[in-house]
Amino acid sequence: MANGIVLVDDDAFIQKLAKNILEKNNIDVVTLDSGKELLEYLKIGTPELVLLDIKMPELDGFQTLEKLREWEKSVGREEVPVVFLTSEDDIESETRGFEMGIADYIRKPFDPYVLVRRVDNVLRRKDKLQRFYADTMTDRLTGLMNSSAVNNKLHMLCQRRTGYLMMIDLDYFKLLDDIYGLETGDSILVSLAEILKRSLGESDVIGRMGGDEFIVFTTALKDEKELLDFSEKLNEELKKEAAEIIGKNTDIPIGVSIGVAYVNGGSNDYANALSKATKALKNKKNNGKQGLYLYEEHLTFDDNHTDNGKLWVALVDDDMMNLKVAKRILNNSDIDVTTFSSGEELMAFVRYSRPDLILLDLNMPGMDGFDTLKALQRQSAEVAEIPVVFLTSEDDTDTEKKALGLGALDFIRKPFIPEILTIRVKQTAELLKLQKRLSDEVDKKTKENEQLFLNVVSSLAGAIDAKDVYTNGHSSRVAEYSREIARRYGYSPKEQSDIYIMGLLHDVGKIGVPDSVINKPGRLTDEEFEQIKRHPVIGSQILNNIKEMPKLSVGARWHHERYGGGGYPDGLIGEEIPEEARIIAVADAYDAMSSQRSYRSIMPQDKVRSEIANGSGTQFDPRFVEIMLKMIDEDTEYSMREL
């Protein structure tokens, strides 16, 4: 195995000896003289392991490790394993090292076998941790991608490919578990996963969202007829396999309900498509399970509730008398009520339904009111934003503070006084409606302005790309990749939107470069290259005039700066380069290599990956290289390229 490690020791003989031992065992070694040199080296390289001497002048091993961890945290870098080297047998120092998080100790003078084995052990542990991370992306039961992995995959795919997004739900799964046991239920889930894998195309994406829900993005199925045929065959095969598992005489109608949304690869983003597929699934389950429903814009989706303009309340209480009394009071005031006897029932209900208000009993067996409220808040934003009012017979200030602190809107005391119950519910609903109307109006105007701005920006980006016959769609792809890197790095939705626009306009300065230079198939002369190098400055001058978005020019001016120096137009280095420009630089280089050019075809994915990795610390910020490499590794079909 060829693993690169860094050895830090102020003793030249120790460096030479250890390097000789390790390289004989096919372990590459870089030697450094001090902790200060190590901290500088890590800005341009990422070793597998650091061997760090404790006793050194200026910065000793402990001080170096402390500064290393501070730096890693500040730049978002994963911690590199550190092994201390020491000639002392000091329990106190050893304990201090382990408390600081070192991986091991190695004694000097070195025993060659011990040195190699200890280094090998640390590297193997790191490899296991990396494999464990890969395992966390896989659903253990079915072997499919888990919800986190499939959501990340589809987030970008739905913006770039045309196909169908399907939400698939195993009907009567809870009943199946209750009657035949969890092991049988798991076997049915595994069978469904296997049927999906063999029924769909190789490039289709399949994941398990959790429980009895699966998600599929398919380009293999081309129209509604093929979708319906797929649904019919899927149900037929599942019934056959289920009969082999639990017998043919079961009364449970085993099958799947499917909700489908069309994805056009342009106007639909993943969240929008997922919402539509989920609504279509709910519509199917409400109108006869086992089969498929394709989303239509006119659908309404209230479970046992028609959109009649009335206030709709979900009432949760384990006391049947309380349910009956409260429902009768509210119905008499023209308020629709759906009742539940537990928090678990409510959670199943809100998967597909959105009442205007939830009245939630505080004291219940199983999930109490607090547990249920927390569970609601862990769901999608659409569910988490449903207002909750607690019902309680207690008069406890601490409980009330806790509930309000968790996000409950109000308390209603039991036993109910009809007038008070009705007034509190209506007042709460009216306040929420007013807030929503104001919020919707603001959102509407904001989105209209943003969309207008985005349309202008997209048109301008298209005009820029049109100057270069070999960069069709380049700006939009760079914008998408930049936004995805920013999302994974932790940018807010607003910041992601900003960097997307910066990415769209990063090459706006090419509008001032002659077409003959941009489209020249052969090597550029020095004079022509100088003309090309002017486009960042031209771009920033154009975009600086847009005062509403002061940072808009950042990507245009500095996306050709190099993290290690030597870029243009200003020769900035490292953190001097604005962060957004460092992100766009990686995205821009990736798309250049994964697109057709006048002088070459699209580069193979492994070659692109290698070039990006080799540029870490020199051309690119290592933090954003790591994210880009993960995106490449997840893109097993090489869909992130010019199509």
Side-chain angles (χ1 to χ4, degrees):
M1 63 183 190
N3 293 289
I5 69 173
V6 171
L7 171 67
V8 186
D9 199 305
D10 60 321
D11 187 327
F13 175 76
I14 292 293
Q15 286 185 12
K16 186 174 181 180
L17 176 62
K19 184 178 177 70
N20 182 53
I21 293 170
L22 293 169
E23 290 188 341
K24 282 183 178 179
N25 286 272
N26 199 29
I27 300 175
D28 295 331
V29 182
V30 173
T31 56
L32 302 173
D33 297 324
S34 68
K36 185 177 180 180
E37 286 187 18
L38 172 65
L39 296 173
E40 288 299 315
Y41 175 85
L42 289 173
K43 293 179 181 179
I44 60 170
T46 307
E48 294 286 317
L49 172 67
V50 173
L51 300 180
L52 180 61
D53 188 27
I54 293 181
K55 296 289 186 180
M56 294 186 294
E58 294 188 48
L59 293 176
D60 65 19
F62 295 111
Q63 294 168 323
T64 302
L65 177 59
E66 187 175 11
K67 289 184 177 295
L68 167 62
R69 294 300 185 230
E70 289 174 354
W71 177 78
E72 287 171 332
K73 185 176 181 180
S74 70
V75 300
R77 177 83 66 87
E78 292 183 8
E79 291 186 356
V80 61
V82 172
V83 173
F84 271 163
L85 307 177
T86 181
S87 56
E88 298 179 358
D89 190 6
D90 181 357
I91 297 298
E92 185 176 339
S93 293
E94 191 165 330
T95 301
R96 180 184 174 192
F98 283 122
E99 287 176 346
M100 293 180 70
I102 67 163
D104 204 351
Y105 267 80
I106 298 177
R107 305 292 175 191
K108 297 187 289 186
F110 302 122
D111 178 291
Y113 177 82
V114 172
L115 174 63
V116 172
R117 289 280 67 78
R118 286 186 178 270
V119 168
D120 185 59
N121 286 341
V122 174
L123 293 174
R124 288 181 186 276
R125 286 201 299 271
K126 181 181 180 183
D127 184 58
K128 285 181 180 179
L129 285 173
Q130 290 174 334
R131 288 200 300 272
F132 174 75
Y133 172 76
D135 288 343
T136 63
M137 305 297 283
T138 303
D139 177 59
R140 291 185 179 181
L141 178 65
T142 63
L144 301 174
M145 284 187 283
N146 62 23
S147 60
S148 174
V150 77
N151 281 329
N152 285 335
K153 178 82 171 178
L154 294 179
H155 178 79
M156 180 171 290
L157 201 60
C158 282
Q159 296 179 20
R160 306 201 63 242
R161 283 193 175 181
T162 298
Y164 290 99
L165 186 71
M166 296 191 283
M167 284 296 297
I168 301 174
D169 186 270
L170 183 58
D171 298 325
Y172 302 105
F173 180 65
K174 186 176 186 305
L175 184 61
L176 187 72
D177 265 357
D178 290 344
I179 295 176
Y180 294 100
L182 297 177
E183 186 174 341
T184 298
D186 285 350
S187 297
I188 301 294
L189 290 173
V190 171
S191 293
L192 176 54
E194 292 302 318
I195 296 170
L196 287 171
K197 283 190 279 190
R198 63 176 181 257
S199 301
L200 294 162
E202 290 185 3
S203 62
D204 291 342
V205 176
I206 312 170
R208 184 183 178 205
M209 297 295 278
D212 56 353
E213 283 191 337
F214 295 78
I215 190 168
V216 168
F217 180 79
T218 177
T219 57
L221 304 176
K222 302 301 183 184
D223 53 37
E224 188 170 358
K225 182 181 182 304
E226 290 189 7
L227 287 166
L228 291 169
D229 289 343
F230 164 78
S231 171
E232 185 177 343
K233 291 176 182 176
L234 179 61
N235 274 291
E236 286 177 359
E237 287 194 46
L238 183 61
K239 287 175 185 175
K240 289 179 183 177
E241 296 205 8
E244 294 180 6
I245 295 171
I246 61 179
K248 297 180 180 180
N249 297 323
T250 178
D251 292 328
I252 301 176
I254 294 173
V256 295
S257 297
I258 306 174
V260 185
Y262 175 69
V263 178
N264 64 17
S267 61
N268 273 328
D269 60 19
Y270 173 50
N272 185 30
L274 181 61
S275 175
K276 290 179 177 180
T278 302
K279 289 176 179 178
L281 172 62
K282 180 202 166 183
N283 191 74
K284 181 59 196 172
K285 293 181 77 70
N286 287 347
N287 293 279
K289 296 178 172 65
Q290 294 191 20
L292 174 143
Y293 202 98
L294 183 60
Y295 178 85
E296 297 173 16
E297 293 293 342
H298 66 271
L299 292 178
T300 58
F301 302 98
D302 292 343
D303 202 344
N304 300 317
H305 174 80
T306 57
D307 190 7
N308 53 18
K310 293 182 180 180
L311 177 63
W312 183 27
V313 172
L315 176 62
V316 190
D317 198 310
D318 62 311
D319 187 317
M320 295 304 297
M321 183 57 69
N322 283 335
L323 289 177
K324 289 180 180 180
V325 170
K327 183 171 184 177
R328 184 168 61 250
I329 293 170
L330 295 173
N331 284 166
N332 288 338
S333 296
D334 210 25
I335 298 171
D336 282 349
V337 179
T338 303
T339 59
F340 306 95
S341 60
S342 70
E344 289 85 352
E345 286 184 10
L346 175 71
M347 294 311 300
F349 171 73
V350 296
R351 287 169 65 186
Y352 306 112
S353 303
R354 303 293 180 267
D356 300 310
L357 178 67
I358 295 173
L359 300 180
L360 181 60
D361 186 28
L362 188 57
N363 294 314
M364 298 183 292
M367 293 176 67
D368 65 15
F370 293 127
D371 294 334
T372 305
L373 179 57
K374 291 175 183 176
L376 288 166
Q377 293 171 340
R378 290 194 296 267
Q379 305 306 305
S380 66
E382 194 176 10
V383 174
E385 290 171 1
I386 300 173
V388 174
V389 173
F390 271 134
L391 308 176
T392 182
S393 56
E394 299 177 2
D395 190 7
D396 181 353
T397 302
D398 290 339
T399 299
E400 191 164 335
K401 285 180 179 178
K402 179 180 178 182
L404 295 173
L406 286 173
L409 278 184
D410 202 352
F411 267 79
I412 296 177
R413 304 292 174 190
K414 296 188 289 186
F416 303 122
I417 299 174
E419 294 80 3
I420 293 178
L421 174 62
T422 303
I423 290 171
R424 296 286 284 277
V425 168
K426 285 187 173 181
Q427 284 181 342
T428 301
E430 286 303 318
L431 175 61
L432 292 167
K433 283 182 180 180
L434 176 60
Q435 290 175 341
K436 189 175 188 307
R437 281 199 300 270
L438 292 173
S439 177
D440 287 347
E441 191 62 31
V442 172
D443 286 347
K444 180 182 176 182
K445 294 299 181 184
T446 301
K447 286 178 180 177
E448 286 176 355
N449 292 335
E450 289 176 348
Q451 189 60 49
L452 178 61
F453 180 63
L454 189 58
N455 289 342
V456 173
V457 169
S458 297
S459 297
L460 181 56
I464 298 161
D465 285 352
K467 285 176 64 71
D468 188 341
V469 297
Y470 292 100
T471 58
N472 181 38
H474 169 70
S475 295
S476 62
R477 289 192 299 274
V478 170
E480 288 175 12
Y481 303 150
S482 299
R483 178 167 58 188
E484 178 63 9
I485 293 170
R487 184 187 72 81
R488 294 182 181 218
Y489 189 61
Y491 275 32
S492 69
K494 175 64 168 63
E495 291 168 331
Q496 294 172 40
S497 176
D498 287 350
I499 201 169
Y500 178 82
I501 294 172
M502 291 181 199
L504 278 176
L505 295 176
H506 77 285
D507 271 343
V508 68
K510 286 186 177 179
I511 206 164
V513 179
D515 292 2
S516 58
V517 174
I518 291 175
N519 291 305
K520 183 176 180 180
R523 182 181 178 86
L524 297 176
T525 65
D526 290 345
E527 182 181 350
E528 289 168 336
F529 186 55
E530 287 302 317
Q531 287 181 289
I532 288 286
K533 288 172 65 176
R534 288 178 54 228
H535 82 269
V537 175
I538 296 172
S540 67
Q541 290 171 344
I542 293 171
L543 298 180
N544 277 334
N545 293 319
I546 303 177
K547 304 303 181 185
E548 291 77 10
M549 194 173 173
K551 294 181 70 176
L552 188 57
S553 64
V554 163
R557 184 173 186 96
W558 290 300
H559 68 280
H560 281 296
E561 300 289 358
R562 295 172 61 91
Y563 192 75
Y568 62 89
D570 300 313
L572 304 183
I573 298 176
E575 306 295 314
E576 294 175 351
I577 308 167
E579 191 170 80
E580 296 89 346
R582 283 179 265 146
I583 291 174
I584 292 171
V586 178
D588 186 40
Y590 174 84
D591 188 67
M593 291 185 281
S594 59
S595 303
Q596 192 82 17
R597 288 293 183 265
S598 60
Y599 48 88
R600 61 155 173 78
S601 300
I602 295 172
M603 292 172 60
Q605 189 185 40
D606 59 346
K607 177 64 174 174
V608 176
R609 190 190 192 285
S610 175
E611 291 295 323
I612 293 291
N614 289 339
S616 180
T618 53
Q619 185 173 354
F620 311 120
D621 186 327
R623 290 173 292 180
F624 304 128
V625 168
E626 286 190 18
I627 294 174
M628 188 76 244
L629 293 179
K630 287 180 181 178
M631 290 167 59
I632 294 171
D633 292 341
E634 292 168 10
D635 183 23
T636 55
E637 288 86 28
Y638 199 10
S639 61
M640 290 195 307
R641 61 184 176 88
E642 182 182 1
L643 299 175

